[in-house]
Amino acid sequence: MRTATTITLTTTYLLLVLLTVKSSLVLELDGQWKLEDSTRNYQELNANVPGGIYTDLMENKILEDVFFGFRDVETRWVAQNNWTYFRNFVVDEALLAHDNIKLVFDGLDTFSQIILNDHLIGTSENMFVQYIFDVLPYLQNGINTLQVRFTSPILMAKHLFEKQAMDYLVPPACVPIEYNGECHANHIRKMQASFSWDWGPALPSVGIWKSVRIEAYNSGLIRHVLVSTEADQSDNWNVKVTTYFDGNINDELLGDLLIRLQTNLDVVETIYDISFTNIGNGELVHTAMFTIPKLHVDLWWPNGYGNPTLYQMTVTFKSSNQEEMCKKTLKIGFRTISLVQDKIGTKQESGLSFYFIVNNVPIFAKGTNSIPLNILPEKGYDSTTIQFLLKSAQAAHMNMIRVWGGGVYESDEFYEVCDELGIMVWQDFMFACAMYPVNEEFLSTVKEEVRYQVRRLQYHPSIILWAANNENEAALRQDWYGTYSDFELYKSDFIKLYVDTIRNEVFKSDTSRQFLTSSPTNGLQSELDGYIALNPASNFFGDVHYYNYLTDSWEQDSMPIPRFSSEYGLQSFPTIPSLLTATNSTTDLLFNSNFMKHRQHHPGGNEEMLALMSMRLPIVSNENENFYKAYIFYTQIHQSMGIKLQTEKYRIWRSSLNIIDQGFTMGALYWQLNDVWMAPTWSGIDFNLNWKMLHYYAKKFFSPILIAGYQSTSRNVSIHIVSDLTSNIYNATATVNIYNWDSFEPVHTENHQAIIMSGLSTSITSFWVDTTLSEAQCGTDISAKYECFLHLSLTDNNGLPLAPDNFLFPAALKDSHLRSSTVKIGAVTQMTKDGTEYDIQVITDGIALFVWLEVDKIKGIFSDNGFMMITKATVVKFYPNAPTSLDEIKNYVTVTHLTDSQYF
Ligand code: BMA
């Protein structure tokens, strides 16, 4: 950089700049392609780019819906074949006249040879890398032919596994048999879950899954812009903008770089008179630093804390003669972020804290883990899905999503929407549940992957952390894949890959965020322990993943008190209408059907769910012909309650420590947000984008203010108020009502005056529940718990709710003397002319639990669902995704609940 001038521009000047001509040309090659397989059984099929083989074969009617029935296995021949995508395109003299002509693939899935006019111009082997080929020597005026020949990923994975095995084995050798999957995904750089997972089918796609184009330019082209905003001690933000160009290898690139930022006050433009530093391969980099007064911009806040304000920045390169050569526009945010790992307690073993501070506010991370938005990667770019899932997360008061390491680095739109909604992203690198090779070729492609992805994603304010992989530290330490006897070898591989390669590469482009070498990890302690902690699942350090399928999922004392829970979950089935989009026959929904077994990948999962929910719910015998209906419905109740009670426990422990210094829990990211097919999984939203009961519960258990009860195994109940707010609320009233199962009138009511303390969890009362219930005339100390339950509410001065109402069941519902109430739909009223909002009245003749509404065939969201009814009637709102008529709603709406007679 030679000089820099900063000026404040008027809007008129801005407009003029936007109108200048570009000197580069782009020829889009997306759209219609052709397709054939290597045996030429299929020739000249129509294909789409971006796209993938399963989608194309479905569109050509060669395959039916691959998500239906058993088609995941029936169509496996597709992925065992080799497929060629090809097309012609025309270039003219004007394009050929440029000094540089590049063929750019934003994503190739995965192994391919790229042939242009009969010349092999390159190969691909990593679906997460952007491939750029110099095609100037091979292009011709007029018609050109481009072919991309894909090799079967299954065969390539096998080949690479065998090659590696000649040296030593890099396990696991395969996925469990229940997955109906393919082996050796860890040997290839492709969505790991596309070879199957415990929640998803193997559909190992091939294809040009992202855009492809020809870029022609003379001097240079902006490839990436990285931005970091750092608050200084005084009144300014220090902004660092790093611009990466593809340029002429030999030429010196001279000209002006204009960085324009629209702030609240004005447009700030900084002009750099530059010559670039060539960093090899024709790649040029320029770093600009300038300051913005803090008063001129608002902060970017996570959901629930303020607006996630974004500012538009444009980076333009002009040649020496002031011709605009290229530009890039992005939206940036101003926020500070740190991950605090400070000593807790006085003893060495008391460990370290683990929480995020954003803009000086400690944030309790509330959210979930996302799996790939679709197992067919190109479909994960569907805007409706991205918007729906992230807006659903926002609506459930989530402020963080972990993009899990067995999927893909998501689309630009995904992160843009996270930026806009204030959803922080914990970003894993795409390595999960396996050991990985560290041979030269593997490390070199990983290096490119990390470089590309970090440069692509770095500027997003929503991304707050990089994590190297999912569970691979734990897998090694706990010997999941038989690596024990060669621990040192695999440990050294771990360090080579995640520390020496990935972390190194990340820090070259981005030092503005923390990097974790695994998740879960002990964080700083893992590093001190040489990256493989003795107990990566420690509750005293870092994050934990916690699953327990052996004990009662509603028993809060058996749940851990970690610093940060980045995964915990329970399975449930999608609803019957949802399942019936994956099969035509209700007999397929019977408990032991082949279909139900086929869809369950978690070994023993269906029996496990039955056993777990039988500890709490009045499940009928599986001899009953309606058993499957109850079973499917109850799995959602069981999941929702288990995750609710666990999340509430984590929130309750946000600001205190127990006697052994466990506590200060500052994160709850449950497993998992979404689904990739209709199956029993841990998700809160099903594959057809319907909220399961869990997501409705998340909206309540993640609410900014929570009132919740905690029942210990020794039968003490404490009532807690938890607040994520940044200021106190005075004069609140917490009400504990005791109801028996037979009346809408509480048998006992207790009010507690409370101050809701900002950012804290406070206990307002505690009691021996059996004594309290018996004093409320529910029965004797022994019997009272079966007759009554607790209802909690929190209101302000005017009696308005400050938190969602909550419930506590003092005994297992299967043992409680529940009433078999009749619940019906009452009046349905259209609330808006356009048919996007309806009021649905629900009426009951007695207390009803887990009241569940469905509008089959019409997609939409209710204001609440799976709720308890302690009044005769209630009104729930329904918002269909698309305008719908009153008659349709009336026709399709149904209601059920725990003791609905159809289940008995
Ligand atoms: C964790 C995740 C996933 C898995 C989930 C449920 O291990 O990281 O790998 O799908 O649990 O088993």
Side-chain angles (χ1 to χ4, degrees):
M1 182 186 87
R2 295 205 292 264
T3 51
T5 341
T6 303
I7 41 172
T8 302
L9 297 169
T10 63
T11 354
T12 357
Y13 182 80
L14 218 168
L15 269 177
L16 286 175
V17 174
L18 287 171
L19 292 175
T20 51
V21 210
K22 278 190 189 167
S23 85
S24 53
L25 275 182
V26 174
L27 177 64
E28 298 291 350
L29 295 178
D30 287 353
Q32 271 279 302
W33 284 56
K34 292 280 177 194
L35 173 65
E36 65 184 28
D37 75 325
S38 54
T39 55
R40 310 205 73 217
N41 278 341
Y42 301 99
Q43 296 178 32
E44 297 270 333
L45 302 178
N46 287 328
N48 251 310
V49 170
I53 189 66
Y54 291 98
T55 309
D56 288 327
L57 294 178
M58 284 191 277
E59 303 237 312
N60 281 285
K61 308 260 181 274
I62 289 165
L63 299 181
E64 290 180 86
D65 178 8
V66 294
F67 296 102
F68 194 85
F70 297 78
R71 301 227 177 97
D72 57 313
V73 279
E74 291 160 8
T75 58
R76 199 61 53 78
W77 60 270
V78 172
Q80 278 148 359
N81 260 3
N82 303 323
W83 296 91
T84 300
Y85 282 79
F86 56 98
R87 69 166 285 167
N88 291 341
F89 59 92
V90 176
V91 299
D92 57 14
E93 288 293 353
L95 188 135
L96 290 175
H98 288 82
D99 293 348
N100 306 278
I101 309 182
K102 304 280 170 76
L103 174 61
V104 181
F105 290 94
D106 285 338
L108 289 165
D109 177 15
T110 290
F111 295 94
S112 76
Q113 294 183 317
I114 297 101
I115 293 147
L116 177 62
N117 298 332
D118 293 329
H119 300 280
L120 175 67
I121 57 161
T123 58
S124 70
E125 76 251 315
N126 186 330
M127 83 179 280
F128 308 122
V129 164
Q130 181 186 47
Y131 285 94
I132 303 177
F133 303 106
D134 182 4
V135 289
L136 187 136
Y138 311 109
L139 277 183
Q140 59 203 29
N141 192 8
I143 296 178
N144 290 262
T145 310
L146 179 60
Q147 276 187 19
V148 185
R149 294 185 190 155
F150 287 98
T151 314
S152 155
I154 298 178
L155 301 184
M156 283 306 292
K158 183 164 182 281
H159 163 72
L160 290 167
F161 165 79
E162 282 164 0
K163 193 167 154 206
Q164 167 68 45
M166 294 203 282
D167 193 359
Y168 61 94
L169 216 69
V170 173
C174 201
V175 291
I177 189 108
E178 289 85 350
Y179 291 19
N180 300 310
E182 292 298 330
C183 313
H184 319 307
N186 54 333
H187 292 263
I188 62 176
R189 293 312 297 143
K190 177 175 172 63
M191 179 205 287
Q192 299 290 280
S194 73
F195 274 37
S196 76
W197 213 263
D198 58 1
W199 36 255
L203 285 167
S205 186
V206 299
I208 305 168
W209 73 290
K210 296 201 208 182
S211 285
V212 49
R213 65 196 164 273
I214 285 178
E215 294 173 345
Y217 57 91
N218 286 329
S219 49
L221 201 89
I222 300 176
R223 195 59 74 198
H224 300 285
V225 175
L226 280 59
V227 183
S228 64
T229 51
E230 236 171 67
D232 70 11
Q233 296 300 319
S234 55
D235 302 327
N236 288 315
W237 284 97
N238 294 324
V239 184
K240 181 174 156 195
V241 180
T242 312
T243 310
Y244 289 91
F245 285 79
D246 275 0
N248 270 338
I249 300 193
N250 304 320
D251 281 10
E252 203 191 343
L253 185 58
L254 296 173
D256 285 345
L257 189 73
L258 281 71
I259 299 178
R260 191 184 317 114
L261 179 69
Q262 169 87 56
T263 70
N264 289 349
L265 227 63
D266 45 29
V267 177
V268 178
E269 184 156 295
T270 313
I271 303 173
Y272 298 85
D273 174 7
I274 50 171
S275 68
F276 285 96
T277 318
N278 192 331
I279 55 169
N281 296 331
E283 202 180 53
L284 309 162
V285 65
H286 174 266
T287 305
M289 310 269 264
F290 55 93
T291 57
I292 298 284
K294 284 182 183 165
L295 285 174
H296 292 195
V297 288
D298 295 326
L299 294 171
W300 182 92
W301 283 105
N303 184 25
Y305 291 85
N307 289 327
T309 318
L310 298 171
Y311 293 93
Q312 182 154 314
M313 174 184 270
T314 309
V315 180
T316 313
F317 177 66
K318 285 183 171 183
S319 64
S320 311
N321 60 10
Q322 289 303 295
E323 194 186 344
E324 182 182 311
M325 308 303 283
C326 49
K327 76 170 168 202
K328 208 164 178 96
T329 301
L330 45 153
K331 284 187 179 160
I332 66 162
F334 293 84
R335 55 110 181 95
T336 60
I337 175 86
S338 53
L339 172 60
V340 184
Q341 299 184 70
D342 284 346
K343 185 95 201 66
I344 279 184
T346 46
K347 299 176 284 280
Q348 178 64 31
E349 61 276 17
S350 297
L352 302 175
S353 64
F354 190 91
Y355 64 96
F356 294 93
I357 294 190
V358 181
N359 303 330
N360 297 325
V361 178
I363 306 273
F364 187 103
K366 298 185 293 191
T368 176
N369 289 261
S370 65
I371 60 169
L373 303 202
N374 199 296
I375 210 74
L376 306 180
E378 72 278 7
K379 287 187 184 265
Y381 276 57
D382 172 54
S383 191
T384 313
T385 309
I386 296 169
Q387 297 274 349
F388 182 87
L389 289 174
L390 294 173
K391 285 186 178 153
S392 296
Q394 182 202 33
H397 307 290
M398 295 181 181
N399 57 31
M400 190 180 288
I401 282 184
R402 171 169 174 252
V403 176
W404 167 79
V408 295
Y409 307 92
E410 293 295 344
S411 62
D412 292 337
E413 185 179 356
F414 179 95
Y415 299 97
E416 281 160 15
V417 178
C418 289
D419 290 345
E420 282 161 19
L421 300 180
I423 294 183
M424 298 181 281
V425 176
W426 168 312
Q427 180 66 48
D428 279 3
F429 285 89
M430 294 302 131
F431 300 83
C433 300
M435 303 293 113
Y436 282 87
V438 293
N439 58 59
E440 220 175 284
E441 299 86 61
F442 194 84
L443 290 184
S444 123
T445 189
V446 167
K447 214 168 166 176
E448 267 182 66
E449 166 186 334
V450 174
R451 187 183 310 147
Y452 169 64
Q453 294 297 346
V454 173
R455 286 183 188 174
R456 176 173 77 95
L457 301 176
Q458 187 278 349
Y459 76 86
H460 291 282
S462 55
I463 298 178
I464 47 98
L465 177 85
W466 303 109
N469 60 70
N470 174 70
E471 298 184 344
N472 294 347
E473 179 184 344
L476 179 53
R477 174 55 77 195
Q478 295 162 2
D479 193 27
W480 297 0
Y481 308 118
T483 50
Y484 185 72
S485 55
D486 270 321
F487 179 80
E488 288 304 326
L489 167 76
Y490 294 105
K491 176 178 168 182
S492 126
D493 286 1
F494 183 99
I495 295 171
K496 264 186 213 153
L497 177 60
Y498 303 116
V499 183
D500 301 344
T501 306
I502 299 182
R503 190 174 75 176
N504 245 350
E505 203 52 49
V506 171
F507 285 165
K508 278 187 203 162
S509 305
D510 186 25
T511 47
S512 71
R513 297 172 174 92
Q514 286 277 343
F515 181 95
L516 297 177
T517 48
S518 191
S519 170
T521 169
N522 288 356
L524 285 179
Q525 189 59 38
S526 281
E527 289 183 30
L528 288 176
D529 292 347
Y531 301 103
I532 309 294
L534 276 177
N535 174 17
S538 168
N539 287 324
F540 297 94
F541 298 93
D543 62 326
V544 301
H545 293 184
Y546 175 82
Y547 296 90
N548 180 349
Y549 307 119
L550 300 174
T551 58
D552 180 356
S553 325
W554 299 18
E555 185 65 61
Q556 287 179 297
D557 269 359
S558 67
M559 300 164 186
I561 309 173
R563 302 288 184 235
F564 192 111
S565 184
S566 51
E567 273 191 31
Y568 56 104
L570 292 167
Q571 282 200 329
S572 74
F573 271 91
T575 60
I576 291 178
S578 281
L579 284 165
L580 288 174
T581 61
T583 171
N584 288 327
S585 145
T586 46
T587 52
D588 273 351
L589 305 187
L590 298 181
F591 183 67
N592 259 326
S593 75
N594 287 338
F595 177 82
M596 295 293 260
K597 286 185 194 149
H598 179 76
R599 294 271 158 160
Q600 177 56 276
H601 284 189
H602 171 58
N606 293 348
E607 294 74 17
E608 185 180 271
M609 265 189 287
L610 182 56
L612 287 172
M613 65 197 197
S614 302
M615 295 183 195
R616 288 283 172 172
L617 298 174
I619 188 107
V620 290
S621 128
N622 57 8
E623 306 287 291
N624 185 311
E625 61 173 327
N626 282 328
F627 167 74
Y628 77 95
K629 291 187 189 163
Y631 171 75
I632 290 170
F633 176 50
Y634 283 16
T635 61
Q636 290 210 17
I637 297 175
H638 175 255
Q639 177 194 37
S640 307
M641 284 296 290
I643 301 307
K644 164 195 185 304
L645 292 164
Q646 200 167 340
T647 309
E648 288 178 348
K649 179 168 183 181
Y650 294 149
R651 293 191 68 185
I652 286 170
W653 280 100
R654 72 168 282 162
S655 48
S656 54
L657 294 175
N658 66 11
I659 45 164
I660 54 163
D661 288 340
Q662 289 177 332
F664 287 148
T665 308
M666 282 297 276
L669 311 180
Y670 66 76
W671 186 264
Q672 68 198 59
L673 173 70
N674 58 312
D675 260 340
V676 295
W677 71 336
M678 277 304 165
T681 74
W682 295 257
S683 79
I685 299 181
D686 79 19
F687 184 47
N688 289 348
L689 301 181
N690 297 303
W691 286 18
K692 287 163 121 179
M693 197 183 291
L694 172 59
H695 206 83
Y696 286 103
Y697 272 52
K699 194 176 152 193
K700 290 181 267 191
F701 63 62
F702 280 147
S703 71
I705 304 175
L706 174 78
I707 179 162
Y710 182 95
Q711 179 167 301
S712 71
T713 325
S714 59
R715 308 205 50 77
N716 182 271
V717 166
S718 46
I719 309 291
H720 303 261
I721 297 177
V722 185
S723 167
D724 293 332
L725 304 188
T726 47
S727 54
N728 295 346
I729 296 182
Y730 299 92
N731 303 325
T733 307
T735 305
V736 182
N737 283 316
I738 299 175
Y739 284 84
N740 69 32
W741 297 113
D742 293 320
S743 165
F744 291 129
E745 286 304 315
V747 291
H748 178 80
T749 295
E750 227 176 80
N751 287 321
H752 297 267
Q753 289 312 305
I755 300 173
I756 302 175
M757 304 293 287
S758 74
L760 291 180
S761 156
T762 36
S763 160
I764 50 166
T765 180
S766 75
F767 44 87
W768 297 104
V769 67
D770 297 318
T771 316
T772 304
L773 292 177
S774 120
E775 281 167 8
Q777 312 296 319
C778 292
T780 65
D781 270 15
I782 294 176
S783 68
K785 59 176 177 282
Y786 305 118
E787 308 298 338
C788 288
F789 66 98
L790 269 55
H791 165 253
L792 312 172
S793 66
L794 189 65
T795 45
D796 69 9
N797 270 343
N798 305 315
L800 295 171
L802 289 164
D805 285 7
N806 213 331
F807 293 85
L808 190 142
F809 303 120
L813 292 172
K814 71 177 166 85
D815 303 322
S816 301
H817 299 154
L818 307 177
R819 195 191 142 111
S820 47
S821 308
T822 305
V823 183
K824 286 188 181 143
I825 299 291
V828 181
T829 321
Q830 182 163 350
M831 301 305 288
T832 54
K833 264 207 180 124
D834 64 355
T836 53
E837 183 187 330
Y838 289 88
D839 272 5
I840 301 175
Q841 191 192 34
V842 188
I843 302 167
T844 177
D845 62 1
I847 301 276
L849 303 185
F850 306 100
V851 177
W852 178 251
L853 297 165
E854 245 162 49
V855 191
D856 190 8
K857 314 235 185 313
I858 299 168
K859 280 197 193 168
I861 292 172
F862 294 94
S863 52
D864 195 6
N865 216 346
F867 48 87
M868 317 301 161
M869 281 188 76
I870 51 167
T871 52
K872 234 188 215 146
T874 189
V875 172
V876 175
K877 287 198 173 293
F878 180 64
Y879 305 97
N881 291 357
T884 308
S885 74
L886 181 62
D887 281 347
E888 277 182 296
I889 306 276
K890 280 185 174 166
N891 278 344
Y892 290 121
V893 66
T894 57
V895 63
T896 185
H897 63 109
L898 184 72
T899 53
D900 193 327
S901 57
Q902 65 168 316
Y903 305 130
F904 297 95

